[in-house]
Amino acid sequence: MASLTLAGLAARLLRLPQITGYLVSGIICGPYVLGILSSESVLDLNIIEGACLSIIGLAAGAELDWPSLSRARKQASA
């Protein structure tokens, strides 16, 4: 959990969305890079996977710049 917080703050300092930091933290802590979490423990975490994906989706939606998307949509349809 601490790595997620630190990764989110680091992403903010780099002017990136926090979700980028969360994803990078998950990749680094997972079984394929540093191996902090083993493959077995990742399988055990499937129970809370849905809730985590929901939170990630909400965070991604909060990062959207709706006025820019609206302008882009108007330009694309013109």
Side-chain angles (χ1 to χ4, degrees), residues 15 18 33 35 43 60 66 77:
R15 296 182 183 254
Q18 279 185 313
V33 178
L43 289 174
W66 291 105
S77 64

Side-chain angles (χ1 to χ4, degrees), residues 43-73:
L43 289 174
D44 291 339
L45 293 174
N46 275 342
I47 297 169
I48 59 170
E49 179 182 355
C52 292
L53 289 175
S54 299
I55 293 169
I56 289 171
L58 287 171
E63 298 285 337
L64 292 176
D65 183 15
W66 291 105
S68 293
L69 289 173
S70 178
R71 284 191 301 272
R73 188 187 81 204

Side-chain angles (χ1 to χ4, degrees), residues 30-48:
Y32 302 111
V33 178
L34 292 180
I36 294 173
L37 296 172
S38 67
S39 295
E40 294 81 23
S41 64
V42 171
L43 289 174
D44 291 339
L45 293 174
N46 275 342
I47 297 169
I48 59 170

